[in-house]
Amino acid sequence: HALGAVTTPVVDLDQGWRTKRLDLEPLTADHAAELAPVLDDAALHEFIGGAPLPAAALARRYARLAVRRSPEGHQLWGNWVMRVRDTGNAVGTVQVTMPAGGPAAGPAEVAWVVGVQAQGRGYAKEAACGLVAMLREAGWTVAAHIHPAHLASQRVARAAGLSPTEEVDDGEVRWVASATPS
């Protein structure tokens, strides 16, 4: 239809992509069994709330996310598994939520999580930098919401080109990077 170009982002949510050390695979329900033990740590929820999900609940969540679109169709969802190329191990996920109307409809919201065992090796920074760069090149303003005490996530956001704003939503500071001028 005529609006196809507007509603389809240049970032292909069904495609994997690569960074220097990571292969990023589109998330499916099948990833739950592998990721449940990686993400099964209450420390990962210190700033975002909630609790680790058992594999079956994680599979149900991932099946919903794998549709790549919110039920009402207003948002597009990109979710990828971070896999370390050298070891084949899944270490976390990176995600984006985008308005279906394209970059003019609002920012692309990004988030990331890396299992405690793999933290401190730059995986979140590498995946976030790659995702933010793709989004900005495609014309998106990129935003993230980060707890003011979550210093590791702040370092990731800063490395990916995001800067904190004065906006606070539900206790989290909004970080933003504008689209790359074309």
Side-chain angles (χ1 to χ4, degrees), residues 63-142:
R64 286 192 303 275
L65 294 174
V67 174
R68 316 258 187 262
R69 184 178 281 269
S70 61
E72 75 289 340
H74 298 310
Q75 295 179 325
L76 303 177
W77 296 336
N79 293 272
W80 294 270
V81 176
M82 295 178 207
R83 187 174 303 283
V84 179
R85 195 171 302 116
D86 287 349
T87 63
N89 292 339
V91 294
T93 61
V94 63
Q95 68 184 56
V96 61
T97 301
M98 306 155 37
E109 302 271 349
V110 296
W112 47 85
V113 62
V114 171
V116 174
Q117 312 84 340
Q119 288 179 4
R121 298 184 194 151
Y123 297 137
K125 187 183 296 184
E126 194 171 313
C129 285
L131 180 58
V132 169
M134 275 194 304
L135 291 164
R136 292 178 71 193
E137 285 166 21
W140 291 90
T141 293
V142 179

Side-chain angles (χ1 to χ4, degrees), residues 19-85:
T19 63
K20 185 177 174 189
R21 300 176 297 161
L22 300 173
D23 290 323
L24 291 111
E25 304 170 359
L27 183 73
T28 68
D30 293 340
H31 287 109
E34 183 180 12
L35 282 170
V38 172
L39 302 177
D40 186 16
D41 193 315
L44 293 176
H45 297 268
E46 178 182 357
F47 298 111
I48 59 172
L53 291 174
L58 205 56
R60 288 190 295 276
R61 175 174 162 69
Y62 288 176
R64 286 192 303 275
L65 294 174
V67 174
R68 316 258 187 262
R69 184 178 281 269
S70 61
E72 75 289 340
H74 298 310
Q75 295 179 325
L76 303 177
W77 296 336
N79 293 272
W80 294 270
V81 176
M82 295 178 207
R83 187 174 303 283
V84 179
R85 195 171 302 116

Side-chain angles (χ1 to χ4, degrees), residues 1 25 32 101-102 115 167 179:
H1 58 60
E25 304 170 359
E167 261 181 82

